[in-house]
Each structure stands twice: as C-alpha cells, then as structure tokens.
Amino acid sequence: MRVKSALNSLSVKMCSLDNSLFLWQRNGKLEGLICIYVDDFLWAGNATFKKCVIDELQKQFLIGSSASESFTYVGLRIKSFGDGISIDQTQYASSLVPVPISRARNMQRKSQLSESEKAAYRALVGQLNWMATHTRPDIAFDTCELSVSFSKATVTELVRLNKLVKRVKSESLQLFFPRLHSFETCSLECYSDAAFANLPNGGSQGGLIIFLKDDSGKKCPIFWQTRRLKRVVNSTLAAETMALIEGAEAAVYMAGIIKQLTAVNDVKIRCFVDNKSLHEALLSSKQVDNRRLRLDISVLDDMIWREEIKKVEWVQTSHQIADCLTKKGASTEKLRGAVSRN
C-alpha cells in the first residue's frame, strides 16, 4: 500500500486490467511504466520519467541493487539489444535437479509414488511450471500434464518428469522481443488449437499463443496458455470452438491493456485455427446440428460482429503454432522458431 500511495503521489496510475502494472503518461502519451512483483521493480521509460518518477522513488525507498541493459529479474535473464530484448531462464534451468531413482525402483513403473517422492515430484513440477509460464512455452503441455497427476502419480510419471528436466537443460530457449514500429500499426495474432478427448474422463486440452505484430511482420510473443477445456465435449469441432473462444477472449483482454498503455483506440485481432469445419461454420449462415455448440459459435459470431476480433482464418496444421500446446509428442519446432530470434 505504501508503494502504491507513493506512485499515486507521483501521478503514476495503476492499470485497471492488471494491478501489478503502473503507467506514467503526459499529454495522453505513455512515457514510462513500472511492473511490480512483490518487492521487485521493473521499469522502462524516457529520461523525464526517470527524473520525475524513478529518482523520486529512490529517495523514498531503500533500493538494494539496480541494473539495466543486462540483468536478472525474478529469475529471468533479460538482455537489451539494438533491435530488441531477449529473455531466458537458462541459469535457472541449470539449477534443476532430477529426482533420484534407483535401478530397482525404475523397474516398478506402475507403483504409486511414496510420500517423499511425491514431495520431490511436486517441487520439481512447480519449478518447471515457473519456466513454462514465463519463458518455455515449448514445455507447457508436458508440464501441465505432469501437474494434474500429483495425487495418482506413479514411477512412470516420475521417469517422464526426469526426462523433461533433461530436455530443458539440453535444449535452451531464448525468447526474443523485436523492436516494433509504432503501436498505431500493430495488431494481435492469436493461434488456438485443441486435442479432442485426449485427457482422463473424456477431457480435451486447449492451447493458445498470442503475438503482438507490427506492419513489417515482426512479432513479440506476449501470452500463451495450455489447459483442460472447461467442459467435456463430444466432437473435435466443439473442442476447437472452445479453444478459439478462450483465445479470442484472451486477445481482447490483451488489446484492452494495450489501449490503456497507448493512445491507440483500435487494436485489430486476427485468430488462426486449423479446423476447417470451425472456419466454415463461422462463414456460413447454416447452423451446426449440436444445439450447445450453436451457443459457442454464436459467441464468436458476436465478437466478429462487434469487431472485437477482426477475422478468423484457417491455416494448415503444419502452420499451427499452438499445436504442441495441446498434445504429447507434437513437434515444438514451429513454436520455438516463432518465439526466438530467427
């Protein structure tokens, strides 16, 4: 509360859509922002912002250490370049330690984990989830799948977990956020996908990834997600529709934040799916047979009619970046290439 009060006194306003993000604007133009995680500050802005806000904050609060251009922030290694910014957790990954498994225990694949093994399993999955959320979308599905097996995990899951740790250590990934042109020309691209009934009890996995793209084609990955869809469905079309709704809603939310950050009033959103039936259902006036699915389709139709999303486009599965966010064994090559420096 003391920090928020100090920021407010300096005319720094909290973003109404994210209470960890604070903005400093003059004459309707963004000149600086601050992101707060517990007691760590990450800020960016011009010289005036530094003088009027950051320097004043340093007078009011004891700053343990500070760094710029190349530094570590809450476990994320951030580097600035002339053409953009990179973020990775390579050092954090090197600290991960697989759960020890004896040769005899390794042979007992169907055996339930002991309490000590469960504790180690939970802790390691938690560490991987931290990475999957911040810098490693390529391990997001595997981490999600392992996390839902806590209560009934067997030695088989423990072996899979250790293999994933080995993969994370051997296959590093550095996210790259290229320097974009003016926000006025930027748009959002959302790729969504689903795997029908690939989870226990008939559940389906949905995945999405959103990019901020400028008019030259450069893209910044700004959000990704993989999780069990909210309800059991009875077709691939229904699963893909639900995944698209989640993706479109997430993109609308991101557009709302961008509008608060900038003076841009219209952020165009394009969504990409690899299911032709869904794409055709959105273009056709003919209703689908399933009545429950009609409701979901109508949600998307309404978003298009309101111009919350500009367009839904079909892409071949080979170009569906979100594919590996929904299923085991899917290639992560497209996703890794899309979020790193080409």
Side-chain angles (χ1 to χ4, degrees):
M1 291 299 294
R2 185 185 167 204
V3 172
K4 290 183 179 180
S5 177
L7 289 172
N8 188 59
S9 69
L10 296 170
S11 299
V12 181
K13 306 300 181 183
M14 184 174 71
C15 174
S16 64
L17 298 177
D18 187 337
N19 59 15
S20 67
L21 183 62
F22 295 81
L23 324 172
W24 193 69
Q25 299 171 320
R26 289 199 310 167
N27 302 319
K29 182 180 179 181
L30 179 70
E31 296 198 14
L33 57 82
I34 300 173
C35 181
I36 299 178
Y37 182 82
V38 189
D39 58 355
D40 290 309
F41 285 45
L42 180 66
W43 68 271
N46 60 21
T48 304
F49 173 70
K50 182 181 183 304
K51 178 182 178 182
C52 297
V53 177
I54 300 303
D55 291 350
E56 290 301 316
L57 286 175
Q58 290 179 330
K59 295 176 183 178
Q60 299 183 45
F61 298 95
L62 178 64
I63 308 298
S65 63
S66 62
S68 62
E69 296 187 3
S70 180
F71 57 93
T72 299
Y73 174 74
V74 296
L76 310 179
R77 187 172 64 172
I78 302 173
K79 291 184 178 181
S80 298
F81 302 91
D83 60 342
I85 296 172
S86 71
I87 302 178
D88 70 76
Q89 288 179 286
T90 304
Q91 185 174 0
Y92 183 82
S94 66
S95 69
L96 300 180
V97 179
V99 179
I101 307 176
S102 67
R103 181 174 298 180
R105 183 60 167 157
N106 192 41
M107 300 294 290
Q108 304 168 350
R109 292 300 180 92
K110 294 183 180 180
S111 176
Q112 294 281 317
L113 297 184
S114 66
E115 290 305 313
S116 61
E117 287 173 331
K118 283 183 180 180
Y121 181 96
R122 284 177 180 271
L124 193 52
V125 170
Q127 289 177 296
L128 288 173
N129 189 57
W130 176 255
M131 295 188 67
T133 302
H134 291 86
T135 63
R136 295 298 300 262
D138 59 321
I139 67 166
F141 175 78
D142 292 304
T143 304
C144 180
E145 190 175 44
L146 289 167
S147 69
V148 299
S149 304
F150 281 150
S151 60
K152 298 181 180 179
T154 65
V155 174
T156 295
E157 280 75 43
L158 190 56
V159 170
R160 277 192 61 206
L161 174 60
N162 283 346
K163 286 182 177 179
L164 182 57
V165 170
K166 182 178 179 180
R167 176 181 143 201
V168 167
K169 286 173 169 285
S170 63
E171 300 177 4
S172 62
L173 179 63
Q174 191 175 73
L175 298 186
F176 186 68
F177 301 82
R179 185 182 296 276
L180 302 179
H181 291 169
S182 171
F183 266 112
E184 282 73 13
T185 62
C186 284
S187 61
L188 290 174
E189 290 189 348
C190 174
Y191 292 80
S192 66
D193 195 24
F196 171 58
N198 68 330
L199 302 178
N201 303 315
S204 301
Q205 190 80 3
L208 64 99
I209 183 166
I210 299 173
F211 296 88
L212 180 64
K213 178 184 177 182
D214 70 9
D215 57 353
S216 70
K218 291 184 291 187
K219 301 179 182 180
C220 290
I222 60 174
F223 181 74
W224 57 85
Q225 172 183 285
T226 178
R227 68 181 183 185
R228 183 187 180 104
L229 295 179
K230 293 179 181 178
R231 71 170 190 270
V232 174
V233 294
N234 61 4
S235 68
T236 298
L237 174 58
E240 293 273 1
T241 302
M242 288 193 66
L244 176 55
I245 289 175
E246 290 198 357
E249 289 178 343
V252 169
Y253 171 74
M254 293 296 163
I257 292 180
I258 292 171
K259 290 175 184 177
Q260 286 198 23
L261 288 173
T262 68
V264 177
N265 293 319
D266 181 30
V267 180
K268 290 181 172 57
I269 298 171
R270 296 166 63 207
C271 298
F272 298 88
V273 299
D274 64 358
N275 185 281
K276 276 194 172 181
S277 296
L278 172 55
H279 184 244
E280 290 169 358
L282 291 170
L283 293 176
S284 174
S285 58
K286 181 181 178 181
Q287 293 182 323
V288 296
D289 293 333
N290 186 296
R291 290 183 173 84
R292 181 64 180 270
L293 183 54
R294 287 181 193 175
L295 294 174
D296 294 332
I297 295 290
S298 68
V299 170
L300 293 167
D301 283 335
D302 186 64
M303 295 180 79
I304 295 172
W305 181 78
R306 291 176 179 274
E307 297 187 340
E308 291 180 314
I309 54 178
K310 180 69 175 178
K311 194 175 184 181
V312 176
E313 299 181 31
W314 176 81
V315 294
Q316 294 182 350
T317 299
S318 59
H319 295 125
Q320 177 52 271
I321 300 173
D323 184 53
C324 65
L325 294 172
T326 65
K327 56 185 71 70
K328 186 190 303 182
S331 172
T332 62
E333 184 178 355
K334 293 186 296 292
L335 176 62
R336 288 171 61 90
V339 301
S340 57
R341 186 192 285 271
N342 295 323

